[in-house]
Structure formats: structure tokens, C-alpha cells
Amino acid sequence: MGITKLALKRPVTTVLVVICLIVFGLSSVLSSKLELFPEMNYPILTISTIYQGASPEDVNDLIGKPIENEVGTLSGIKNIQSTSKENVSIIMLQYEYGTNMDKAYSDLKKKMDNIKLPDDVKTPTIMELDISAMPVMSLAVNDTTQENLYNYVKADIVPEFEKISSIASIDTNGGREGYIKIRLNPEKLNQYHLNMNAIVQSIKSADFTYPAGTTGVGNRKLAVSTAVEVNSAEQLKKIPVVAGNGKTIYLEDIAEIGDTVKDQDAIGRYNGKDTVTLSVNKQQKSSAVEVSKQVKKTIDTLKAEHKNLDIVVIDDTSNQIQASLNSVLETMILAVIISMIIIFLFFGDIKASLIVGSSIPVSILVALILMSVMGFSMNLITMSAIVLGVGMMVDDSIVVLESCFRIHKDDDYEYSAVEGTKLVLQSILGGTITKCVVFIPLVFLAGMTGQIFKPLGYTIVFCMMASLISAMTIVPLCYFKYRPVEKHNSPLGGIVKALQNGYRKLIGKLLDRKAMVLIVAVLLLVGSFMLAGKLKFELMPETDQGTISITTKVKPGLKIEEVDKVLKQIETIVSDEKDLKSYTLTYGGNAVSMDSSSNATLTAYLKSDRELSTREVMNKWKKVMGQLPDCNVTLTSTSSMQSSGSKNDFEVILKGAKLDRLKATADQMVTELTTRPELIKVHSDLENAAPVVKIKVDPIKAAAEGIAPVTVGGMFNSMLSGVEATTFDKEGQEISVKVEYPEDAYDTLDKVEGIMVPNATGGSVAITDIASIGYEDSPSTITRKNKQYQVTVTGSFTDKVKTEKDKQRVTKEIDDQVVKKYLSDTITRGQNSEAESMSEEFGGLFLAIATAIFLVFVVLAAQFESPIFSLMVMATIPFSFIGAFGLMLITNVSISMTSLLGFLVLIGTVLNSGILYVDCANQYNETMDTRSAVIEAGFTRLRPILMTALIAILSLIPLARGGENGEMMQGLALVNIGGLASSTLLSLLVLPVLYSILRRKKKDKNVTV
């Protein structure tokens, strides 16, 4: 009680402390980083390796397996997944949470240095997965006056954005890169006894810079370098080449040299028009809002310098962040207003409302200061935590003020302030500690749950501790200084009085029917768990951000002109949508990607004032796009936390050690599933792609000719793909110089079979004499997880499957009738990554909830010095499940990470009424018989219990409405609203019965009430 007396004796000091909190609190707000979600670090490293010209099987055998075997021995690795595609291998290493990733990166780098890969494989790139590295802005760039838009953007536009220190990288899509093409004349090469390799070496020799050392000039020492520079196509033409007969000729004598653009292998469009798009990725420590401001400033500068330049901001995540935080801020203000109104309705005095309301801004300011100290950003999670805290912040203040009113007498406000606080000190202290301890498990929670919701736990604890101190200092001080008067004719005074009288009579009757009360309570609890069985499960709630990603998988090997026809059909469907704001389309052009190279991605951005929800638009498009031929379309509703949505209606993952056997099993399953009327477009990701022309060199025949088999592969790669000989700077742009054969030189298999290979004697031999050439089937992608091959079989449901129940029934039938018969000891079923994550994260949250319940028991048992009273108060926890599950079912909210977190928060909030009731009953039981004590305790505590419950419930209603990205925290709010409503009602009715049963028998005292 010393702190309360100190506040009353030193009012100026107390006010100055509050002023300091205001100053430092506002300073913390202005300096905080604004983000949509807390910063997250996933313990994942990726190894990307490019092997130009290699088939998926070659990539798997020559790169994937060797790397897997070598890095598999590293400590801390949880999963290894490799994806082998044409030209590229991507290996993802998932570590255990808590692993030191700097050390993990260093250890992996050492392992990679020891791996022997083919000579023509590019050096593997190791990267750490950064969820915040997702593009924060997307831009469309165009300039009709530029001859080559791609080169112009890369040379003049991208560097200007890269100057911004908060930007990590700029990704470019669309356009065609310009380069200088040296097209060799095969007849001339034969005439002068030259080959491509000799030409490449001549070009490299003609463009070099080589340090020679130093020399003295007068009294100075100067560096000497030797150089020959080539900076134009005209200079390239005059490069000397020594022919096979010793004669020197010029490069223009055997080749055509000129500017050109690369063959179109990619498509990039914005709203149907060809364009170059830029994706802006921020530094991990930077704010998306700040990056957006700097990028927009740079755009204005560029437009002023380049009059014909047009840059359109396609997507800007800072708009979502600001809209979401503004929405939560409005929710917070509404919660504060609602709290103040309820206090006024109960007390009938505006002073009382302001006194209790003063604890809210003080608690929020303390929380903001401590958030800044902890390094937390202002995001959807931490701001929602403050909204949750608003309902709890006033609990202690209401209880203190109500106690001061109750014992007030003889106009002695100082006595009332001190004694009123003292009377309920144990209750508010126990309630606050109980609310705080439930968040201790969150601090130790690993995984995505811990990273996302740890700031929420800290923020609520900060609010609770601040509100406790405020209730012990500011509330008594304001009560003493402003002298509020409790009005018995308050707006709700009569209703509360009637409720108290009715409650006293009702409890008297219920105490005579204890068995019935307990049976009804148990039946309601059992019924609530039956309701829970009907709820759906999802990892994270789907947020309606108005962004739809459409992935179109076309037949591998299809010419780009044919792909364009398919994509234009998709674009037509999308552009006809009246709720569409804009869209971007990308296809190909990026070798290192987790998606297959035969996939196109269309990202559609919907209007903010759309008539249909994102889900409704997505389902509408899916129905139409599912009928398109020659492609398989997948739609997902994207958010900053995840991509969720339709994806695949049906999915089965099979695992096995033998690729051939796994592929055969998957093919058989696809064949059988195709015959079922419920499914269409059934495919496996091991289905044969476009046939591969395989040149199998016979080592013995090659050795007889003095030819190394590996040189044959290198020669074919050069002849069919060309070789980059050098690069030079042209007007600030780096231009590639590439040596190639004419397009029609080897455009058929007959011409390839006619290639002559130089032998050791200086002659040549036909490729068909030392190798066999034929077609082979090859999957477009080979996936391995933990050294086992993995295949995914997918399909879409037909119109016969309409409801969610139909989907569940059909999926179970297919599993029982088809899938299970293909499983064996060698072919097993796997889980997708989302199912694995859900299992892990839910398991962690259930453990946290169990730990929180145990800690609550310990705190309450210590407070009451009795485990019986502790269990009695904890009876309010199962009562809360009744309302929580019921409201979730009514509002169609799934069980997710946020709703499970809501149950964790609920454990702390629902105990308040139980603590107040049992503490009061114990006090009365010292002077009354047990029956009278339980009745009078309920009568006395009914008003503060109703006030705190109503404030907590009504202040959460704005958050439960959703709003901008509000779906994220909607489940948490609904769980607490339903849980608080049911637990408050049932605890008031059931706790008196439990108390009278569990209370130790005492000799009734003859005391008149």
C-alpha cells in the first residue's frame, strides 16, 4: 500500500511522471517502424545451381544428389528438399528453430567448397530465406522513344532505385535483352580450318586489360598496364583471326556482326500491354512505408529528367500497412470510447468515467515505450494487442474505484482512497499476475507462432503491469482530488439493482439444486466440444487483400507463340471483371525459381471498393478457367503471411526411394483417377514433359578416336546455345557479345546427327560414329525430400462436387478406394508443407495453453493458499469454451493459429470474475455462514463483474468486425467475446454451487446479514 500513499502525498510528482510518459510515449510512436506483421526469420538456407542445357534427370544426378549427400551430415538440419528442373537445381535446407544461422551458413559454405561438380556448372549460390524480402512495390516502366526498353531500364532506371540505401534489390521482368551477335558462317569456318572455340579465343585476346607492373617517370612511380579495348560492333569486325593455314583474316570475313535482341523466351505485360516490370525488395531492417516514400520521390525525379518516361505503381504494400494500422487505430479509439460510456452508465458520474478512463492512455503509453525499448515495430499484431489490452486495462481501475465508492463515508476521500484500494489489492494483484503468466509460454514458443505472437504477449503484459500501477496510484489520487460521487440514479443503476436482487433470489434456489446445476453445466460443456468437432482447420486466417495470383501450367516444350495464345484467354477472363483494378503477367525468363519454367503467373489487383470479395471473384474465375484446354490453372488469394485459396481441390503426395517405381505408381494412379466422374485434369508432377533428345556417347568408341566424352558435351552446348565471348560498355550499358551459329544450322535432328567432331589426328568423325542419338521421356521437375523422391498427384473437382461436405466425402472415398491400394512398404504417403506446419504450430500452441493453465493453477493456489480455491476459480475456463466454440461456429471462423492464441488470452481474462467472486466470498465467510457468504459475494461483486465483462466484450467487437486485413485477428477477438460472455454468466451461477460444495465445513456463525 506504500505506493498508493506515496501517490496521495506527492501528487505533483505523480503528474510529472504522467507527463513524462506522454512525451516519451509520443516519441516512441514517431520513431517506430511501421509494418504489417512482425519481423520473422525462417531458419532456411537455399542452394541454387545453374547447369545450362542439362535435363532434370542430369541436374538431379550430377548436382542434386551430390549436394544432398554432402550437406546432409550438417548438424541442426530438419529437412532437405531438392527440386531439379531443366538448367537449374534448387536445394532447400530447413534447420531447427533456434539454430545459429550465421554459423549454419559458414558450415554450409565450407561443405559446398569440398563438393566436386561438373566443370561447366556455375558456382552454387547460397541464400538465406527472408520472408520480408518479398517485393514491397511493383512498378511498370515504359518509354516509347527507346529502341531497346530492357537495356534502357537496366542501365538508366534500375541504378537510380538501387541508390536508395533501404532497397536490397530490384528484380526486372519483361522485355528482351539486347546484345551483339556474331553469327558464324559454317562454310567459311571449314574453308579456313577454324572452329567456334578458336573464334571465341581470338575475341577474348583482342579485348583485355593486364597489369604489367610499375616504372619511374621523373620523380614519380607509375603503374603500367597492357590493354586492348573493343567498344563497338565496328571494332569487332576488325579483330584479327589466325586461320588454320597460318593466314590472318578479319572476323568479318567469317561472320556477320550486328546488334540484335535475344529470342523471346519470356512474356511480360501490364494490363495487356508489353512492358518491363520492376519488383522492389527492401532491406530487412527497413520499413516498407519509408521505402515507398523514397521510391515515389525517385520516380518523380526520373520523370522530370526523362520526358517520355512512364512509370506506374502497380502495387504498393505501404498502402495496405497504413490502411491496416489506421483500421486498428480506429478500433482502439472505439474501444476506449465504449469503455468510458459503460463506466458512465454504471456509475452515473462523468468524473468516475474520466478517472477510470485515465488508466487507458497511461497504460498504452507505457506499453508503447516498452515496445520501443524491445525493438518491436508498430504492426497489426502489436496494435491488436493494445486493443485487446483496452478491455483488460480498466479491470483493476474499475474494481478499485467501485471499492472506494463502497466504503466511502463521512466525506473522508483520502481514507476511502487508501482503504478502498487496500481492500481489493489482493484481488487486482492476483488477477493481473494471472493474466500475465498465461503469456510466459509464448516467450519460449519456437516456430512461426513464437515469432508472430511473441510481441503480442509482451505488449499485453506491458499494458497489464501499467494498468495495475495506474489502479494503485492514479485512480486513488484522482478519486481523492476530484471527489466523484456515486449516483444511485445512474442510467443503469436501477437495472443493476434489479439484477442484484434477482440474482440473490436465484442463487438461493440454485443452492438447493446443486446436482442439477452441475449436470446442466457439464452437458453444456460436452455440447460445446461437439460443436468444436464441426469447425474447420487452417494454419492462418485468409485475409482479403484483394490480390489473386493465377498460376497457369502449360505443356512443357510448347512454343512461346502457343503459350501466348493460352495466356491471352486467361487475360480476357480477368480483364472482363468489373472489380479489377489492374493486372500483371509474367512467363519465363527466370531460370532460378521454385516454380516450373513452364508456369506463367498473372497477378490481379482488385478495387478496394469491390462488390465481390476476393474469394467470390476467385471462385468465379476458377469455374471458367477450369474449362480452358491445354493448361492447368491454379488460383490463390495471396496475403503477406501466406498464399491461401483454391489451390488444388484434390492432392496426394507419394514418396519412394526409387524414381522409376514411384513414377510408374503415380502414372497408374492418375490413369485410374481420370476415370472417376468427380475429378477432371488429373496430373502428376512426374508426368513426361516434352521428349528430350539424348546423345549417349560411347566411351570406348570415343577413346578410339582420341576424343574425351566430356568434350563432346561442351562442343554441342557451344554449337546449339552459343558462347558469350566478352562484354563491353556501350553508352553506359553493359552489352554482351555472343558467338553463335545461324538459327537454321542445327534446327532439326537430321542436322544435329550430321555434326562432325574433331579427333586427335586433326581430322573429324561423325557424331553418329561415336554416339547414339534418340528421344527419351523426362519429367519436367524431380523433387526429393530427405533423400526420398516425391510426387504430387493433383486434380480438380467437377460440378458434381459442390459443397464442402461433398468434397470431404469424395476425398475420403478416393483415399479408401484408390489411394490406399497403391501404398506399400516402399511407396508411402507424404504431407504437404502446410499440413506439416499446421501440425507443428498447433502442437506448440496446445502445449502453451496447457502450460498456461498449469501456471495459472500455481499462481491462484499461492494467492488463496489453497489448491481447492484455485481449482474453483479455474472452473471458469471450461465454461468459456461453450461460448467460444459456439460463436466460432455461428460466424464460420476456423480453428487457426490466431483463434488458438485467442484461447490462450481467454485463460487470463475469464479468471478475473472468478477471482473477484472467490476473494469476496472468503472475506464474507469470515463473518457469515457459507450459504450467506456465497449469496452476498455474488450480490456485491455482480456490478464490477458485469462492468469488466461488458467493457472487455464490447471493446473487442470493433476488432471482431474484421476491417482492412482484420481477418487476421478476427478469430482471436471472437473467441474472447464468446468465451467471456459464457464464462461470466455461468461462473456467476455455478461458482456459488461449487464454493458451497468444496468449502471446508465450518461451524456456522449466527450473524445477521
Side-chain angles (χ1 to χ4, degrees), residues 925-974:
N925 204 221
E926 296 296 323
T927 57
M928 300 179 183
D929 62 86
T930 301
R931 182 183 178 90
S932 299
V934 297
I935 294 174
E936 292 307 309
F939 179 88
T940 303
R941 291 298 193 212
L942 183 63
R943 186 171 69 169
I945 287 174
L946 286 177
M947 285 179 69
T948 54
L950 275 173
I951 288 173
I953 291 170
L954 295 178
S955 63
L956 285 175
I957 287 176
L959 190 63
R961 290 184 300 115
E964 190 78 26
N965 288 308
E967 299 92 342
M968 177 76 175
M969 304 302 290
Q970 189 177 29
L972 188 151
L974 288 169

Side-chain angles (χ1 to χ4, degrees), residues 305-334:
E305 294 175 356
H306 305 260
K307 300 301 181 184
N308 297 299
L309 179 64
D310 182 32
I311 302 179
V312 179
V313 178
I314 303 169
D315 185 42
D316 185 355
T317 58
S318 69
N319 295 334
Q320 294 178 358
I321 293 170
Q322 290 177 324
S324 299
L325 294 183
N326 288 339
S327 177
V328 178
L329 184 62
E330 290 172 8
T331 300
M332 189 194 309
I333 294 170
L334 274 173

